[in-house]
Amino acid sequence: MADTTHSALAPTYDPLPITIARAHGTHVWDTDGNEFLDFLSGYSALNFGHLHQGLIAAAMTQLRQVTLTSRAFDHDRLEEFAQRLVDVVGPLTTGGEDSLVVPMNTGAEAVETAIKAVRKWGYDVRGVPEDTATIVVAEGNFHGRTTTLAGLSDDPATRDGFGPFAPGFRRVPFGDLEAVADAVDETTVAVLMEPVQGEAGVLLPPDEFWPGLRELTAEKNIALVADEIQSGLGRTGSTLACELWDVQPDLVCLGKALGGGIVPVSAVVGKPEILGILTPGTHGSTFGGNPLACAVGIAALDLLSTGQYQARAAESGKLLRARLDELVERGLLTSARTVGLWAGIDMDPALGTGRDLCLALLERGVLAKDSHGATIRLSPPLSIVQPELEMALDIVEESLVALRDGDGADAGDTAAEDVAEDVADDEGNAAAEDVANDDASTAAADDEAEPADSEEPAEPADQTADAADEDAAPETPAADEASDDAPAVDPEEAPAADKADKADATSDVDDDDKKDDAAKGTDDRSELSPTAG
Ligand SMILES: *Cc1c(COP(=O)(O)O)cnc(C)c1O
């Protein structure tokens, strides 16, 4: 364990007490060799799991060629990366196959890029008077940590003490179409929002919200910008979360998983009329679009282009949802929202804080992170196999029971022992397969199902085999089949609660008492996840 009393780090984070030394697929190991299932996945930067074989190979190859040129010179991976991005994401935007790409590094830079582009487009094309452009954003948003983006936030921790902030932004309740309509005027150049708010606790807007936004912005010639940095690239069961509502934004901000968990890679993709406004000298980045980033980005997009990860997220998401619904029914959670393989769960604050639950999970071998208060986000790698998911959800259940019964530290012995067994068995497997991707997951899955059989990886459970096949050979017919069969939307999971939700979602936001309303909104929106399953 790290000696936190003598840290040289500025205290910008309060990490859980684990020091990670190694990772593989869905698993990480601490410095003492204890094994954990990663249910945060670097806030979705690790959608493909740790050390994905194909991504590592692409990075290694590029590391021996050229890693940085700056944009003063072209390099031989840059156009290929942009084209790949247009192939995979372009058609999901109004830019279609003519979409343009601005490559950047971090998510925050991608959002900043989008803001610059829509402002300049507003002045040059729309004729908005210089320095008066406004952009509508949502309450509860998280777009990054720059001073401008901190200014968009209504979270005091993100915001307080960092002003003065950039003007030109109007914040309205997330999911409230009327409020957006009221906020826009002739100075409004864009509406910038996360399709599903990640940091806020995986909050889904009412189903009519994004289609309504699309209609409103198209009618008024306002750019619709989707921050898909966390929600995009497979997490929700589709390439973009906007697909859940059949909405094409004008610009999409991507990041996190685009870098495959290896290097920071971000980009803005979309409408050429807007991004084409950024002429030489108006925007740039020393590292943006560097050869190593492009090589990894291309490999990540290759993984996404088969649709298998999206299908897996949709499929595994059904199990995630069913198990969490059960915990809500049993009163162990006050609410749970899921979309694809992404969940925000709310504890009864009487049981403890979100951090208490994360500590209980850590003790039992699952890594997760509270987003705020009693809300925790679950976002395992999309490559997770069903038995691992079951095991982790068993641990969530045990941890909640332990907190309820007031013996958080002791009640988890059974789960802890299971995980300990996995550690012992997996260590051998993982060591033997240094480069083989996600095979450690397979072994863990076997262990869980039948500990005695853990030495027979040749006969894994069906789902395990599927997942292993997908990762090892992304284009096997079996994998294709799976991707075709997996519905992006599970009709059975669509609750008939839409009407009530609509009413609540528009009525529950009150500027005067944001905190209470945020909590209430969370509960109300817990049933707003029907589209995704
Ligand atoms: C993480 C995140 C960002 C910021 O990305 P960084 O790479 O941390 O700068 C922006 N928007 C959303 C929705 C995010 O989840």
Side-chain angles (χ1 to χ4, degrees), residues 106-109 111 142-145 194 199 227 229-230 256:
T106 64
E109 287 174 306
V111 180
F142 181 83
H143 295 297
R145 302 287 193 172
E194 301 154 84
E199 207 62 25
D227 179 349
I229 289 164
Q230 193 167 155
K256 295 204 162 99

Side-chain angles (χ1 to χ4, degrees), residues 13 42-44 105-111 141-146 149 193-199 227-231 253 255-256 264-266 342 377:
Y13 280 85
Y43 303 96
S44 288
N105 310 282
T106 64
E109 287 174 306
V111 180
N141 73 73
F142 181 83
H143 295 297
R145 302 287 193 172
T146 64
L149 300 179
M193 291 184 188
E194 301 154 84
V196 177
Q197 290 189 328
E199 207 62 25
D227 179 349
E228 294 253 16
I229 289 164
Q230 193 167 155
S231 59
C253 300
K256 295 204 162 99
V265 184
S266 71
W342 201 19
R377 169 182 23 197

Side-chain angles (χ1 to χ4, degrees), residues 193-216:
M193 291 184 188
E194 301 154 84
V196 177
Q197 290 189 328
E199 207 62 25
V202 190
L203 289 190
L204 285 127
D207 267 341
E208 70 276 12
F209 182 62
W210 274 85
L213 273 187
R214 181 63 284 184
E215 208 175 313
L216 174 78

Side-chain angles (χ1 to χ4, degrees), residues 26 50 81 120 138 186 267-268 303 309 335 452 459 485:
T26 51
H50 293 270
F81 170 60
K120 196 154 194 312
E186 62 287 348
V268 183
L303 293 178
Y309 281 89
S335 52
E459 296 182 86
D485 290 344

